Structures are given as C-alpha cells and as structure tokens.
C-alpha cells in the first residue's frame, strides 16, 4: 500500500506526518507545535536526517532510538536507512 497521514498529534506538543510506498517508510516529519524540549524517536528501522539544524545534535541512544531537541515551530524530516 501507498499513502500518507498528516497532522497526527503526539505527546509533548508534537505533530507527525508520515509517507509510505509499498508498505515501506518514505519519510516522517516531526514538528514542534507547542513548547520546546527533547524528542525521542523510536523507529522499527533505522532512519536518518539531512537537516543541518540537527548536525552534531542528534544523539543515538540505541540502534533505533534517537534523541534531539526542537523549539516551537521547528520541524525535522527523517528518511529510512536502507541496509
């Protein structure tokens, strides 16, 4: 299946949008709509971002668990890492 969802609300004042194709992740965007602080992202597969604002600020806690900070209005897009 192919599709997308936008505007999903997540704990901590976050909004999530996801796109997939053939049942596989294409991209996931996380936007801070309220507050600021640490975001923990756990995924079933490894993901990465090319976003320069996270350069050197993205902490890998476990293989599929990453941590970073976002301020209100900031967003970051992740893509799958194809192994």
């Amino acid at each position: 299946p192919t599709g997308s969802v936008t505007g999903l609300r997540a704990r901590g004042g976050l909004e999530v949008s996801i796109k997939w194709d053939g049942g596989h992740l294409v991209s996931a965007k996380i936007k801070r709509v309220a507050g600021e602080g640490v975001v923990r992202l756990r995924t079933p597969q490894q993901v990465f971002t090319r976003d320069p604002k996270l350069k050197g600020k993205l902490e890998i806690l476990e293989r599929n668990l990453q941590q970073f900070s976002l301020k209100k209005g900031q967003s970051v897009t992740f893509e799958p890492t194809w192994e």
Side-chain angles (χ1 to χ4, degrees):
T2 299
S4 64
V5 293
T6 59
L8 298 174
R9 295 299 179 130
R11 266 187 292 197
L14 302 172
E15 183 179 274
V16 179
S17 300
I18 304 169
K19 293 180 186 176
W20 63 91
D21 187 20
H24 300 283
L25 177 69
V26 173
S27 66
K29 179 180 178 182
I30 299 172
K31 180 178 181 180
R32 171 79 64 189
V33 293
E36 62 179 63
V38 174
V39 177
R40 283 191 169 190
L41 176 65
R42 184 180 302 275
T43 57
Q45 69 189 79
Q46 286 187 297
V47 295
F48 74 99
T49 183
R50 294 183 177 104
D51 195 315
K53 74 176 151 287
L54 288 185
K55 188 173 183 175
K57 298 178 182 177
L58 184 66
E59 184 179 356
I60 308 298
L61 302 175
E62 297 173 13
R63 179 177 166 83
N64 297 344
L65 178 62
Q66 303 177 35
Q67 180 173 288
F68 54 94
S69 292
L70 289 177
K71 294 181 181 178
K72 184 176 179 180
Q74 288 184 323
S75 65
V76 62
T77 300
F78 289 89
E79 301 172 34
T81 301
W82 302 108
E83 299 181 48

